[in-house]
Amino acid sequence: MIKLFKFYSHIKNVIEFTQLPKEQRRLVFYSEGKNYWVHLEGLIKEVLASSDIPVCYVSSGEDDPGLFFKHANYKSFKIDEGFIRNWLFENIETDVMVMTMPDIHQYQVKRSKHNVHYVYVQHSLVSFHMVYRKGAFDYYDTIFCAGPHHMKEMRAIEAKYNLPEKNLVEHGYARLDSIIEESKKRSKKVKADDSPKHVLIAPSWGPLGTIESGVGEKIVAQLMGQGYQVTFRPHPQTVKFAKKNVDKIVNKYLNMPLFTYENNVAGQDSLHDSDLMISDWSGAALDYAFGLNKPVLFVDVPRKINNPDYEDICIEPIEISIRNKIGDIVDSEHLQILFSSKNIELQDWVFNPGNSNKVGGSYLAKLCVELKAYEFQI
């Protein structure tokens, strides 16, 4: 009964969206759920603050904060992440579609049959060609780049596969800006000399990942045995596809006072409260090191490779090249805990620190105006 109600509710929302006058749905943002709001929120607020362009927000997550945001020029719509969404996307009529979802038009989610300009916004600092599938960004028109590495990689991909050049925007990374800004607001906590060090375990996901491979269980056991305070923060995809591994760890330690299970990767408390992050190939490690200048330990599990042809692009992915610059690589079988942070020049790696939302929001508003002018010329 609940599923049927949700189905009809999603249908109703799609009808409501498609019946809006075209002028009210010229700019559409899509979010897969609550973890992506942090990457889109600032852009949306900047567009609304700096222009009179109406914004539509479509999400597949019931608890997405973007569904509860209020503004006179803003409308939000909840849909599913299956048939209804896929139909809407294939038939959507809008000028600009902003998304954080790679692989558009390669699988179930297609580009619209109408003339829509697609903009990709980064939800990670990692490179384009190893962690992401081959062709993950081929069907986007504009790519918001977090740093110089993204610009170089995309141009190299285009050259290698003879693809048309996309619009590349020197945007930056909103998640990082948010972490840095939050850090400034928080008062520095003074810990007692005898209080345990706080370790945050935040790996990536995949069949060979830290948790999926069973290495995570060993790491938690070692840390708990040595008296560390541990926050266990698996990736949502790990929870989805390797729930047994996650549950085994959580059920064993959940009632212990030094163990915390965190299932919201959009939150920031554990980032600011912890002393050290243990990760593998996760972009979260870059957020942690760049945003807070705290130490990171990289567990030596196999590389996360979703594109077997990544070496065709003769650029070393940032998640490989930067490891020794921002942290230490440790043996997963004989984990040595090191608390040595390294100094990082943020502006060398990321565009527009602290100003990405203003840059990105202004670009989107300008793009909408230009596309509307072009439409009138036709």
Side-chain angles (χ1 to χ4, degrees), residues 16-55:
E16 183 182 340
F17 172 82
T18 56
Q19 288 183 343
L20 283 174
K22 178 73 183 294
E23 278 298 304
Q24 293 183 26
R25 49 181 167 84
R26 291 174 50 216
L27 176 59
V28 178
F29 290 77
Y30 171 69
S31 167
E32 295 172 73
K34 66 179 180 181
N35 293 324
Y36 298 90
W37 173 244
V38 67
H39 305 290
L40 302 174
E41 175 186 9
L43 295 173
I44 291 169
K45 290 180 177 178
E46 179 62 31
V47 171
L48 293 171
S50 63
S51 75
D52 60 355
I53 298 170
V55 172

Side-chain angles (χ1 to χ4, degrees), residues 12-289:
K12 176 178 172 291
N13 288 338
V14 167
I15 292 172
E16 183 182 340
F17 172 82
T18 56
Q19 288 183 343
L20 283 174
K22 178 73 183 294
E23 278 298 304
Q24 293 183 26
R25 49 181 167 84
R26 291 174 50 216
L27 176 59
V28 178
F29 290 77
Y30 171 69
S31 167
E32 295 172 73
K34 66 179 180 181
N35 293 324
Y36 298 90
W37 173 244
V38 67
H39 305 290
L40 302 174
E41 175 186 9
L43 295 173
I44 291 169
K45 290 180 177 178
E46 179 62 31
V47 171
L48 293 171
S50 63
S51 75
D52 60 355
I53 298 170
V55 172
C56 288
Y57 185 82
V58 179
S59 177
S60 295
E62 289 185 6
D63 53 355
D64 188 332
L67 294 173
F68 309 101
F69 175 68
K70 302 296 182 184
H71 189 280
N73 249 6
Y74 177 89
K75 290 182 172 62
S76 60
F77 305 85
K78 167 69 173 71
I79 60 173
D80 69 0
E81 54 183 359
F83 167 76
I84 297 173
R85 176 193 64 185
N86 299 345
W87 180 90
L88 174 63
F89 278 35
E90 198 163 351
N91 293 276
I92 198 167
E93 289 187 77
T94 182
D95 292 341
V96 179
M97 187 82 172
V98 184
M99 303 167 65
T100 60
M101 176 192 284
D103 295 313
I104 188 171
H105 211 72
Q106 296 212 106
Y107 300 99
Q108 296 92 344
V109 180
K110 306 295 184 185
R111 278 183 65 114
S112 174
K113 61 187 181 185
H114 301 287
N115 188 24
V116 176
H117 189 103
Y118 285 83
V119 178
Y120 183 82
V121 175
Q122 306 304 320
H123 64 267
S124 175
L125 289 170
V126 299
S127 287
F128 287 148
H129 52 304
M130 185 174 82
V131 166
Y132 294 102
R133 297 183 185 95
K134 188 175 182 178
F137 310 100
D138 287 359
Y139 291 93
Y140 278 94
D141 303 292
T142 293
I143 305 285
F144 276 16
C145 297
H149 60 293
H150 283 156
M151 306 279 283
K152 293 175 185 174
E153 291 157 8
M154 188 49 62
R155 291 299 182 227
I157 291 169
E158 292 166 347
K160 176 66 180 178
Y161 299 114
N162 196 28
L163 299 170
E165 285 197 351
K166 297 170 177 55
N167 304 316
L168 301 185
V169 179
E170 293 185 3
H171 174 222
Y173 188 47
R175 169 67 168 171
L176 190 59
D177 290 348
S178 175
I179 291 170
I180 294 171
E181 187 61 30
E182 180 65 21
S183 178
K184 292 176 183 176
K185 296 176 184 176
R186 295 188 176 221
S187 57
K188 191 81 172 179
K189 289 184 179 179
V190 180
K191 294 185 178 182
D193 292 339
D194 59 348
S195 64
K197 289 284 190 180
H198 185 176
V199 178
L200 171 61
I201 302 175
S204 188
W205 65 282
L208 302 177
T210 298
I211 298 172
E212 289 84 349
S213 65
V215 170
E217 185 182 355
K218 296 177 183 177
I219 291 173
V220 174
Q222 178 180 328
L223 293 172
M224 294 298 293
Q226 293 175 351
Y228 288 100
Q229 180 183 350
V230 174
T231 295
F232 180 56
R233 180 177 170 148
H235 193 283
Q237 294 295 90
T238 297
V239 178
K240 184 176 181 179
F241 295 114
K243 192 172 184 300
K244 286 183 179 179
N245 299 57
V246 173
D247 288 347
K248 188 175 182 181
I249 295 170
V250 173
N251 292 338
K252 185 174 181 178
Y253 298 105
L254 190 57
N255 293 323
M256 295 187 178
L258 290 178
F259 180 87
T260 302
Y261 171 52
E262 185 173 16
N263 62 1
N264 176 20
V265 299
Q268 290 194 28
D269 285 348
S270 62
L271 300 179
H272 298 279
D273 294 344
S274 59
D275 301 299
L276 167 77
M277 176 185 281
I278 295 179
S279 190
D280 44 27
W281 299 100
S282 174
L286 279 66
D287 299 351
Y288 192 76

